[in-house]
Amino acid sequence: KSAVNQAGVTLSHELKKRDIACILLHPGYVATDMTACFGGGGKDVDAQSALLCEQMLALDMSSTGKYVSYTGKEEPW
């Protein structure tokens, strides 16, 4: 996970030179096959996907390189 995060930050720096914004998204706890072994629960996949799409549509150069949750809140590294 750390390597993926670092790759995203590096990508955001490289793409910024071309005026292309790039963020890393935190989907939250989503009900998937992978999380089912933890007793179920979690958010609906379709609902969370829609929220992530909203964050992608709101993306601009001021948010490039940030780690953002599905709610739009910037998350600490």
Side-chain angles (χ1 to χ4, degrees):
K1 181 68 178 152
S2 295
V4 169
N5 289 345
Q6 185 57 49
V9 170
T10 301
L11 183 62
S12 73
H13 290 299
E14 291 300 314
L15 292 176
K16 188 173 186 176
K17 298 172 190 175
R18 297 181 187 179
D19 202 33
I20 300 171
C22 175
I23 58 173
L24 291 99
L25 289 169
H26 178 352
Y29 186 64
V30 182
T32 64
D33 292 341
M34 188 173 81
T35 61
C37 66
F38 299 111
K43 310 267 185 198
D44 176 70
V45 172
D46 291 333
Q48 288 304 97
S49 297
L51 293 172
L52 291 172
C53 287
E54 286 179 21
Q55 298 312 313
M56 288 183 265
L57 290 170
L59 180 61
D60 62 22
M61 291 308 293
S62 69
S63 56
T64 196
K66 295 182 179 179
Y67 184 45
V68 180
S69 77
Y70 61 94
T71 64
K73 177 184 170 202
E74 183 179 351
E75 297 290 334
W77 288 98

